[in-house]
């Protein structure tokens, strides 16, 4: 896209562009021209095992922006980095305080999509603060064409590998994914004992704000609103223990996804030193990519969608058409039962009545 410098800063100097994605020609009932719309999506910051052998790691955060409106727009971008993570000198972006940064504007045609890379540095001790998540926000205007503005936002997770490396212990956590209903999901954590002696196992789960374990199972206890500790018992040498937890999230937390959580695994052998590993895992939600039914364009934060059609009836009851269909089915069944009863009575009379030829 063409880069237009605002009064204070300019846009990142070299966005990676992709061919424009044009919308189809409007048909009957399509909205009138002059509609603003914008959508942003982010990749996660994924760290490799090399992170554990460096004082700091410089990597990139890829951001993709789409003009979902039907007019040429001026799109501006801002992002917030978590503690332990700093900007590594992204051209055209300037600090805005509190870990926030603001970038310049792009002139983007209707339906066009582009990507840009934000250079970031993850401190060598940032793992002590996990889980870490950040956020990206875009806003779009069309001065002189459409009044007002629209915006969209999405989070990103900073994913650490298991570590710091310690022999004799292994740890793995599957991601958590909330479907469009927003109902609870499951987190599975596997703690492995790769040592030569048995050890007592313990797992702690750390979740971001708005994400909780509403009913910890036996052996687990909530240490705080976002931290839960579970004793998994003795883990034999060469064996593993698997923990499964039910996880819930508020609608706001799901809209902010992707987010990051963290798990800490610990083995305490009867003799020898305790061993500990920790890692982060990804939390995603379908609601973050959904467009509310009442909103004609994806121009803002998206909420959790209710079940299809449920909002038309208080309490989720049957509609008038459905009640009518049920009534017809009931009447049909009653008629069939009545016909069978009459046929049975008639047959009994013929079998028990006097024979006319005797």
């Amino acid at each position: 896209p063409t880069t237009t410098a605002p009064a204070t800063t300019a846009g990142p100097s070299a966005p990676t562009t992709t061919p424009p994605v044009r919308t189809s020609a409007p048909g009957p009932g399509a909205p009138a021209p002059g509609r603003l719309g914008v959508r942003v999506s982010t990749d996660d910051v994924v760290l490799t095992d090399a992170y554990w052998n460096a004082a700091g790691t410089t990597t990139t955060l890829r951001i993709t922006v789409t003009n979902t409106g039907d007019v040429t727009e001026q799109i501006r971008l801002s992002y917030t980095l978590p503690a332990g993570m700093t900007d590594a000198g992204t051209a055209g972006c300037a600090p805005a305080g509190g870990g926030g940064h603001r970038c310049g504007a792009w002139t983007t045609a209707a339906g066009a999509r582009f990507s840009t890379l934000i250079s970031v540095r993850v401190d060598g001790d940032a793992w002590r603060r996990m889980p870490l998540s950040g956020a990206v926000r875009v806003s779009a205007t069309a001065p002189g064409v459409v009044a007002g503005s629209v915006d969209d936002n999405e989070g990103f997770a900073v994913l650490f590998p298991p570590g710091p490396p310690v022999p004799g212990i292994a740890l793995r956590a599957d991601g958590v994914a909330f479907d469009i209903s927003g109902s609870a999901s499951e987190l599975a954590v596997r703690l492995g004992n790769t040592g030569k002696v048995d050890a007592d196992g313990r797992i702690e789960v750390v979740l971001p704000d708005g994400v909780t374990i509403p009913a910890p199972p036996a052996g687990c206890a909530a240490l705080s609103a976002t931290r839960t500790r579970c004793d998994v018992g003795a883990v034999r040498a060469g064996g593993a223990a698997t923990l499964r937890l039910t996880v819930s999230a508020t609608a706001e937390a799901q809209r902010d996804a992707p987010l990051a959580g963290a798990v800490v695994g610990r083995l305490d052998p009867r003799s020898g030193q305790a061993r500990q590993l920790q890692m982060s895992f990804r939390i995603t939600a379908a609601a973050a990519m959904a467009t509310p039914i009442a909103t004609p364009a994806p121009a803002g934060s998206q909420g959790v969608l209710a079940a299809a059609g449920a909002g038309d009836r208080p309490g989720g009851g049957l509609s008038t058409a459905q009640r009518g269909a049920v009534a017809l089915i009931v009447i049909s069944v009653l008629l069939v039962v009545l016909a069978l009863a009459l046929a049975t009575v008639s047959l009994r009379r013929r079998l028990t009545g006097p024979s006319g030829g005797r």
Side-chain angles (χ1 to χ4, degrees), residues 1-144:
T2 303
T3 302
T4 302
T8 55
T9 61
S13 57
T16 303
T17 59
T18 57
V21 179
R22 297 295 180 181
T23 57
S24 58
R35 178 177 57 88
L36 294 173
V38 66
R39 179 179 289 281
V40 63
S41 61
T42 62
D43 292 347
D44 294 319
V45 175
V46 182
L47 300 168
T48 65
D49 289 334
Y51 169 80
W52 302 115
N53 199 35
T57 301
T58 300
T59 184
T60 56
L61 167 65
R62 178 177 290 274
I63 300 170
T64 302
V65 182
T66 305
N67 179 348
T68 59
D70 52 25
V71 295
T72 298
E73 297 175 346
Q74 293 287 317
I75 296 179
R76 288 175 170 80
L77 182 147
S78 62
Y79 55 94
T80 302
L81 302 177
M85 189 171 174
T86 54
D87 187 89
T90 304
C93 297
H101 293 75
R102 289 196 182 98
C103 305
W106 290 271
T107 300
T108 309
R113 181 176 67 242
F114 68 90
S115 295
T116 189
L117 298 176
I118 303 298
S119 181
V120 295
R121 184 183 186 276
V122 184
D123 296 342
D125 63 350
W127 63 273
R128 299 181 185 276
R129 303 181 180 92
M130 71 170 77
L132 298 181
S133 302
V136 177
R137 177 176 293 275
V138 291
S139 61
T141 59

Side-chain angles (χ1 to χ4, degrees), residues 344-358:
T344 301
V345 172
S346 177
L347 181 60
R348 285 179 178 176
R349 286 178 178 178
R350 290 182 180 181
L351 292 176
T352 57
S355 175
R358 294 180 184 177

Side-chain angles (χ1 to χ4, degrees), residues 253-312:
Q254 293 191 42
R255 287 195 299 269
D256 291 339
L259 300 169
V263 292
V264 182
R266 184 181 178 90
L267 290 175
D268 288 314
R270 182 169 298 177
S271 59
Q273 293 184 341
R275 304 183 293 272
Q276 181 170 302
L277 278 183
Q278 62 190 76
M279 64 175 294
S280 51
F281 60 90
R282 194 169 192 249
I283 301 172
T284 59
M289 295 300 296
T291 302
I293 295 174
T295 302
S301 298
Q302 289 80 40
V304 178
L305 294 179
D312 297 335

Side-chain angles (χ1 to χ4, degrees), residues 199-348:
D200 292 331
R202 190 179 75 193
I203 296 174
E204 289 190 15
V205 179
V206 187
L207 299 171
D209 291 338
V211 184
T212 59
I213 298 173
C220 298
L223 303 181
S224 67
T226 59
R227 195 178 190 99
T228 301
R229 175 181 294 174
C230 298
D231 293 321
V232 296
V235 183
R236 294 187 176 276
T242 299
L243 176 67
R244 300 183 184 278
L245 298 170
T246 299
V247 180
S248 297
T250 63
E252 181 179 1
Q254 293 191 42
R255 287 195 299 269
D256 291 339
L259 300 169
V263 292
V264 182
R266 184 181 178 90
L267 290 175
D268 288 314
R270 182 169 298 177
S271 59
Q273 293 184 341
R275 304 183 293 272
Q276 181 170 302
L277 278 183
Q278 62 190 76
M279 64 175 294
S280 51
F281 60 90
R282 194 169 192 249
I283 301 172
T284 59
M289 295 300 296
T291 302
I293 295 174
T295 302
S301 298
Q302 289 80 40
V304 178
L305 294 179
D312 297 335
R313 301 180 301 276
L318 298 176
S319 65
T320 302
Q322 289 174 326
R323 289 196 295 268
V326 171
L328 289 175
I329 293 172
V330 172
I331 292 173
S332 299
V333 171
L334 291 176
L335 290 176
V336 171
V337 172
L338 179 60
L340 290 174
L342 292 175
T344 301
V345 172
S346 177
L347 181 60
R348 285 179 178 176

Side-chain angles (χ1 to χ4, degrees), residues 147-244:
S149 64
V150 294
D151 62 85
D152 189 31
N153 65 278
E154 184 166 290
F156 63 88
V158 184
L159 301 178
F160 294 85
V166 177
I169 184 173
L171 185 64
R172 188 186 72 191
D174 297 337
V176 175
F178 295 99
D179 61 24
I180 195 62
S181 70
S183 57
S185 185
E186 183 182 79
L187 168 64
V189 184
R190 186 178 186 273
L191 176 63
N193 183 355
T194 59
K196 296 182 180 180
V197 296
D198 299 350
D200 292 331
R202 190 179 75 193
I203 296 174
E204 289 190 15
V205 179
V206 187
L207 299 171
D209 291 338
V211 184
T212 59
I213 298 173
C220 298
L223 303 181
S224 67
T226 59
R227 195 178 190 99
T228 301
R229 175 181 294 174
C230 298
D231 293 321
V232 296
V235 183
R236 294 187 176 276
T242 299
L243 176 67
R244 300 183 184 278

